[in-house]
Amino acid sequence: MHSPRAAEQSAVLRRPLCLQPASRAPRGAAGAAALQWQMDAALPDENAMNPAEHNRFMARAIALAVENVRKGLGGPFGCVVVKDGQIVAEGANRVTSANDPTAHAEIVAIREACRVLGHFQLTGCDLYTSCEPCPMCLGAIYWARPARVFYAGTAEDAAQAGFDDVDILRELQQPPVRRRIPMQQIMREPALEAFRLWQQKPDKVAY
């Protein structure tokens, strides 16, 4: 039987996503690129792979997760990034072996894919992950802007195995001062100088 806690997390993570209205899109070149990515992602895929190809890539992501557990290198998660029908990067959870709490499979794979492709965005790539992404990985995926994401296990499955992200989701809904890890705003005015310089920089690389 699934726990109420797992069911709550699954329900929150499954809230439908929608395109960002143009009136609320980020401004400038970065905003235009983001909106174009959102529009492209919503279009039908004229070169859609057949189910066997999808299954082959997902099977590799799952194999990475299983191998990771057997070798004791980290949690039971694996991920591959695919471009033009070829795997360009793989990743498995390395949180405990690398002493890096951000080394989730998706982030490891995204970092490697960006290194291999020589770009900070995964345009035209598909991401296959052995489990539904956690909140941190979901944020990284949206910044990386792949074309599509495919996942096998669900957030509820992960919660049943002890990887429950519902507390993080609850924290995100709280005002900063009420979060479990206290967050206090200080020195806002000096910090704005970096944003002013960024806005004025003519040769910045927007993302």
Side-chain angles (χ1 to χ4, degrees):
M1 179 178 295
H2 298 309
S3 69
R5 185 177 175 81
E8 178 184 355
Q9 179 191 22
S10 183
V12 174
L13 285 176
R14 281 169 177 71
R15 288 174 182 166
L17 297 175
C18 62
L19 293 180
Q20 187 179 31
S23 61
R24 297 181 59 192
R27 296 179 180 178
L35 186 57
Q36 184 61 51
W37 165 71
Q38 291 171 331
M39 294 171 65
D40 291 344
L43 295 175
D45 184 3
E46 297 178 354
N47 301 308
M49 289 183 289
N50 62 49
E53 290 177 305
H54 286 305
N55 290 346
R56 177 167 65 91
F57 296 132
M58 185 59 77
R60 179 55 185 161
I62 294 171
L64 288 168
V66 172
E67 180 183 16
N68 207 50
V69 174
R70 287 178 174 162
K71 290 185 176 180
L73 295 175
F77 305 97
C79 179
V80 299
V81 177
V82 174
K83 186 176 178 65
D84 298 328
Q86 300 293 325
I87 294 177
V88 297
E90 299 181 340
N93 184 286
R94 291 290 189 267
V95 169
T96 55
S97 58
N99 292 321
D100 181 356
T102 71
H104 288 200
E106 295 93 333
I107 291 179
V108 172
I110 287 171
R111 288 171 176 167
E112 178 62 11
C114 289
R115 185 191 70 78
V116 169
L117 298 173
H119 203 271
F120 52 82
Q121 290 182 351
L122 300 180
T123 304
C125 294
D126 290 335
L127 190 148
Y128 294 79
T129 177
S130 64
C131 187
E132 189 172 0
C134 75
M136 177 180 70
C137 293
L138 187 62
I141 287 167
Y142 270 84
W143 279 110
R145 298 192 177 110
R148 299 175 298 185
V149 175
F150 300 89
Y151 63 91
T154 66
E156 186 175 8
D157 296 329
Q160 291 292 320
F163 300 92
D164 195 347
D165 297 317
V166 73
D167 283 342
I168 297 175
L169 296 170
R170 286 181 183 145
E171 288 286 290
L172 290 173
Q173 296 170 9
Q174 295 291 331
V177 295
R178 295 182 57 189
R179 291 173 182 160
R180 189 171 66 249
I181 298 177
M183 298 185 180
Q184 181 178 354
Q185 182 184 30
I186 60 174
M187 296 185 65
R188 176 174 178 266
E189 287 303 319
L192 294 177
E193 176 63 16
F195 292 120
R196 284 191 285 267
L197 288 172
W198 174 260
Q199 289 175 315
Q200 296 166 5
K201 187 175 176 61
D203 59 344
K204 62 176 173 282
V205 179
Y207 62 95

